[in-house]
Amino acid sequence: MNITRENVDAVNAVVKVDIAKEDYSDKVEKILTDYRKTANIPGFRKGHVPMGMVKKQYGKAVLVDEVNKLLQEALNKYLTEEKLDVLAQPLPKKQDEIDWDADNFSFEFELGLAPEFEVNLKGKKAITQYNIVADNKMIDEQIERLQKKYGKLISQDTVEKNSEVTGTFTNEEKEINNTVTLFLDKFKSKSTAKLFVGAKVGDVITLKTKGLYENELDLTRVLNISAEEAKDLDIEVLFTITEVNKRELAELNQELFDKLFGKDEITSEAELKARIKEDAENQFVQQADQKFLNDVTEYLIENTKFDLPAEFLTKWMQAASEEEIDEEKAKEQYEKSEKSLRCQLIEGKIAKEHNIEVSVVDLKNHAQDMIKAQMAQFGQPNPSEKELDDIARRILSNTEEARRISEQLVSQKLLAVYKENANIKVKEVTYEKFVKEVYGDK
């Protein structure tokens, strides 16, 4: 057997595999001999069928099968030994119909090679790393929400600006009939809230659904309809008031502190504000990190230039597709996936250069950390090691879940590399300003 490679260019190559008779003849002969021992052919006793008849009936199929096995084994071994970094799988080149009556065979395969390139993390333009802080306004609003949550409801005769108004939305034509509690400051327009002020139990208020809320999800909630039904809904609905209450804020005292954080964990308003600030900013870190990771990734894709075997990958996508697609469709699929492929190659190179790996121990520890955080949310802050081990084992036995956790860990390790090596400017902002800068006014 002889294997040769011709490099077409930096990212394309053709491998030729020559298979001679001596490479496969012994295997084919052995299989046919075994067939002869077990073949059931009318007119002959088992084991006494003439070899010529066995070869005539089975020889061609056995030959094809063995040559194909030999071909795949040789090709895989060659790629491994030559340490070729290939993209996708080798594609057999189109050739004239194979003469299986010949002794020697030649096969050619197209290869798409991973490009050689350098990654420069320190670009001229600095990438913003946001440090999101909780300002006094946010802390005060959170404290007020907690006071409302643990406060008392006091019944009212008439609706005031800060009242909680319970009632039923109805519309016969759309079969809407849903009881809900409304907060007047949630309406998109202040003029809508004014319709309620001064109203009493039993009063009926007519509202237009169009523009009632800033977010259509709020409309789906109060009317109990689907998102599809809420989209562009423009009808009148009636709201019949059945209850009016005022929320008396809970006092900022030790009783409230203990309810929120456990006995004597917090003992003053100053400590409460510090704790709320700390918890909020810990949550902001994840959002800031994700933004930074996205920005570095975009920068690397934009500024790391290399060629890809586009024509080869397009043909491979066409050949590998589960459903038959034409060349134009395959090209469209390639163009959609090219950015993702570039990202994978860049991240793979960075991971290799910085020895980023995910071990079984890493997976287990990360899974256990996730489990502990979730259990703490449900009031189980101290699970036993056996509980953690059992749950982690179940999670990681799911291949898809294990892959997802592994990708999370790689992202975390890449993030650490970027923070250490990229050209960064740190920008401290409030959460409100962060949202405006990153997502625009919403």
Side-chain angles (χ1 to χ4, degrees), residues 10-25:
V11 291
N12 290 279
V14 175
V15 169
K16 184 180 180 184
V17 183
D18 295 319
I19 298 177
K21 185 174 182 179
E22 57 265 26
D23 296 322
Y24 62 81
S25 57

Side-chain angles (χ1 to χ4, degrees), residues 149-202:
K149 180 178 178 180
Y150 290 93
K152 295 178 182 178
L153 278 179
I154 299 175
S155 179
Q156 292 180 292
D157 294 327
T158 58
V159 178
E160 297 176 1
K161 184 173 66 174
N162 296 322
S163 296
E164 297 180 13
V165 186
T166 301
T168 304
F169 275 111
T170 56
N171 178 286
E172 289 187 13
E173 183 184 349
K174 295 292 184 179
E175 297 182 345
I176 293 171
N177 190 311
N178 189 53
T179 299
V180 67
T181 297
L182 301 178
F183 301 88
L184 305 188
D185 59 349
K186 297 297 182 183
F187 290 124
K188 183 177 180 179
S189 170
K190 289 182 179 179
S191 60
T192 304
K194 288 180 181 178
L195 296 174
F196 284 81
V197 175
K200 299 181 178 181
V201 171

